[in-house]
Amino acid sequence: MSASDLDWVHIEGLQIDTVIGVYEWEQQQTQRLLIDLAMAWDIQAAAQKDDIEQALDYAKVTEAVTAWVQQKPRQLIETVAEGIAQLVLQQFGVREVEVKVSKPGAVPSAANVAVSISRRQFDSPFG
């Protein structure tokens, strides 16, 4: 399957309440993050057999991502995005993942702030 033939599984608007932020007050309460994922996955086998065992189980992805985000306080949404990308690549074996992490209300004069990243199976944070 070439890169242009990739199918995509999406999870959009996943709401996760967690401790996130650089300021002391942010470390004292939870805030809501919104997570969007797009994961490259060949859906043909699952579609032909109508079999969840052949599919990318988005319920399991959602559970794993939520558990990871809530595991411990973090300061940056950049850290959250990178961690989610590595989790999905390693634990679920997708070929490519796009992650968007939004933190609504982080900047009072903006409706939202977010970071978006794209990672492939062969990418490594260590070069």
Side-chain angles (χ1 to χ4, degrees), residues 96-111:
E96 184 174 349
V97 62
E98 296 174 358
V99 180
K100 179 180 177 185
V101 178
S102 299
K103 187 178 175 187
V107 175
S109 59

Side-chain angles (χ1 to χ4, degrees), residues 13-120:
L14 175 61
Q15 299 178 29
I16 303 175
D17 293 327
T18 192
V19 177
I20 181 82
V22 296
Y23 300 110
E24 186 175 327
W25 68 266
E26 291 180 299
Q27 295 296 315
Q28 306 302 316
Q29 65 186 32
T30 60
Q31 296 182 72
R32 179 157 293 168
L33 297 179
L34 301 177
I35 312 295
D36 295 327
L37 300 172
M39 298 161 287
W41 186 265
D42 184 355
I43 69 165
Q44 292 178 7
Q48 290 170 356
K49 296 179 182 179
D50 198 25
D51 181 6
I52 187 65
E53 296 299 321
Q54 301 293 315
L56 178 59
D57 189 333
Y58 40 84
K60 288 182 180 177
V61 173
T62 298
E63 291 170 10
V65 167
T66 300
W68 186 89
V69 171
Q70 293 178 332
Q71 174 185 19
K72 66 179 184 179
R74 293 185 174 82
Q75 293 188 358
L76 303 176
I77 59 175
E78 291 85 347
T79 304
V80 173
E82 190 65 46
I84 291 171
Q86 295 306 316
L87 169 82
V88 171
L89 289 171
Q90 293 168 9
Q91 190 169 331
F92 295 96
V94 302
R95 293 179 55 189
E96 184 174 349
V97 62
E98 296 174 358
V99 180
K100 179 180 177 185
V101 178
S102 299
K103 187 178 175 187
V107 175
S109 59
N112 189 36
V113 297
V115 296
S116 296
I117 64 171
S118 178
R119 299 289 182 266
R120 291 183 177 86

Side-chain angles (χ1 to χ4, degrees), residues 5-20:
D5 293 333
L6 291 178
D7 302 320
W8 292 89
V9 175
H10 295 263
I11 298 172
E12 299 174 345
L14 175 61
Q15 299 178 29
I16 303 175
D17 293 327
T18 192
V19 177
I20 181 82

